[in-house]
Amino acid sequence: MKLIIAAIKPYKLDEVREALVAIGVRGMMVTEIKGFGAQSGHTEIYRGAEYAVNFVPKARLEIAVPDNLADEVVETIARTARTDKIGDGKIFTLDLKQALRVRTGETGDDAL
């Protein structure tokens, strides 16, 4: 099993979710986060005063999938979330040692 963690632009979330459901992803966790990378924030003007925005809003997706679906999930997120502009995000793939469905006690791929 793999755990895929992706940070994407928030307005791309619905589009990415729909694309993932279409390839068979049955669930995910989403968190609103803030961060910075190459984008390093930006400046904005509010009521005539300029101020720095050091952290940019992102959506964090956490998706547990069987090994055979992991590459397709990563490719789908990358393709769907891409805007070709700085700040499109990052995707990380981690090995997932164990999963357990609390309600039924199922483990491994059956718990996903």
Side-chain angles (χ1 to χ4, degrees):
M1 294 177 295
K2 301 290 185 193
L3 177 63
I4 299 167
I5 301 171
I8 63 171
K9 292 184 176 185
Y11 69 87
K12 295 296 263 179
L13 179 59
D14 286 335
E15 189 178 344
V16 169
R17 185 193 62 79
E18 290 171 10
L20 290 172
V21 168
I23 64 165
V25 171
R26 295 179 13 192
M28 73 177 74
M29 294 178 279
V30 177
T31 311
E32 293 179 9
I33 61 170
K34 292 182 180 183
F36 74 93
Q39 200 171 5
S40 299
H42 59 282
T43 59
E44 290 186 4
I45 297 176
Y46 179 71
R47 295 189 176 184
E50 185 175 308
Y51 64 98
V53 178
N54 294 320
F55 293 97
V56 180
K58 300 285 181 191
R60 175 183 167 136
L61 289 69
E62 296 177 70
I63 309 160
V65 295
D67 288 331
N68 63 343
L69 191 57
D71 289 340
E72 187 176 4
V73 168
V74 170
E75 290 167 13
T76 299
I77 295 169
R79 181 182 67 251
T80 311
R82 180 176 292 125
T83 66
D84 291 324
K85 295 183 179 151
I86 195 165
D88 276 351
K90 294 271 192 300
I91 303 172
F92 306 100
T93 303
L94 308 165
D95 288 324
L96 186 58
K97 184 176 177 182
Q98 182 178 352
L100 179 127
R101 185 184 310 259
V102 174
R103 179 178 55 87
T104 63
E106 294 169 298
T107 60
D109 286 352
D110 294 335
L112 302 178

